[in-house]
Amino acid sequence: MNYTETIGFVAAILTTAAFLPQVFKTWKTKDVTGLSLPMLLMFFAGIVAWLIYGVLKDSPSMIFANSITVVSAFLLMYFKIKYSKK
Amino acid sequence: MNYTETIGFVAAILTTAAFLPQVFKTWKTKDVTGLSLPMLLMFFAGIVAWLIYGVLKDSPSMIFANSITVVSAFLLMYFKIKYSKK
């Protein structure tokens, strides 16, 4: 793995890991009042676009990071829709 | 601007914009109980790494997105430290 991809993977691990506690917290507390569905949709669409960009740029770090984050973003949208029905 | 960078800029705008309401909300409410400093530090370090990666990969979209997000992440850390002193 070259120098550039090493930095990319450090970035990928840091930003992906920083995002996971939010998913875990929302799953545990079922508190979705602080989450906005339009924002989550924008974020999800943005991550999908970054994933496509990572493939086009031939960037293993971006493909790795955004593949995980797209699942996290999807879960947050799912929780928001599921737990808002009250 | 080529096809790849067009997708990159769409991604940049979507994910950057999705992050701004959090900064604004924290600034207005001064409620930082939901924010974790270690997570913010990780996120900030990750964004700095993505910015370096974007420069090394010669990616205008990544440089653009991460330059804005690094400021947002810094502001959230600043608010967390400032408003936690109670």
Side-chain angles (χ1 to χ4, degrees):
Chain A
M1 192 157 67
N2 64 32
Y3 178 66
T4 303
E5 286 308 315
T6 304
I7 293 180
F9 269 94
V10 169
I13 288 163
L14 287 169
T15 52
T16 306
F19 199 62
L20 292 178
Q22 177 66 63
V23 179
F24 187 72
K25 190 182 172 187
T26 306
W27 175 55
K28 285 308 242 182
T29 63
K30 297 182 174 52
D31 178 8
V32 292
T33 51
L35 299 175
S36 144
L37 192 57
M39 288 305 145
L40 288 175
L41 282 167
M42 265 173 68
F43 187 71
F44 181 76
I47 296 297
V48 170
W50 277 128
L51 188 54
I52 296 166
Y53 182 81
V55 172
L56 294 171
K57 284 289 261 190
D58 198 16
S59 160
S61 310
M62 292 194 73
I63 295 167
F64 169 73
N66 291 303
S67 298
I68 296 172
T69 308
V70 85
V71 177
S72 304
F74 180 81
L75 283 173
L76 285 177
M77 283 198 301
Y78 172 76
F79 291 149
K80 176 66 184 175
I81 293 164
K82 189 177 175 190
Y83 300 137
S84 292
K85 285 178 183 166
K86 279 170 192 173
Chain B
M1 192 156 66
N2 65 31
Y3 177 67
T4 303
E5 285 309 315
T6 305
I7 292 180
F9 269 93
V10 168
I13 289 163
L14 287 170
T15 52
T16 306
F19 199 62
L20 292 177
Q22 177 65 61
V23 179
F24 188 73
K25 190 183 173 188
T26 305
W27 175 57
K28 284 308 239 183
T29 61
K30 297 181 174 52
D31 177 7
V32 292
T33 51
L35 298 174
S36 144
L37 192 58
M39 288 304 145
L40 288 175
L41 283 167
M42 265 173 69
F43 188 70
F44 180 75
I47 296 297
V48 170
W50 277 128
L51 187 53
I52 296 165
Y53 182 81
V55 172
L56 294 171
K57 282 290 262 190
D58 198 17
S59 159
S61 309
M62 291 194 74
I63 295 167
F64 170 74
N66 290 303
S67 298
I68 296 172
T69 308
V70 86
V71 176
S72 304
F74 180 82
L75 284 173
L76 285 177
M77 282 198 301
Y78 172 76
F79 292 149
K80 177 65 184 175
I81 294 164
K82 189 178 177 189
Y83 300 136
S84 291
K85 286 179 183 167
K86 278 172 195 172

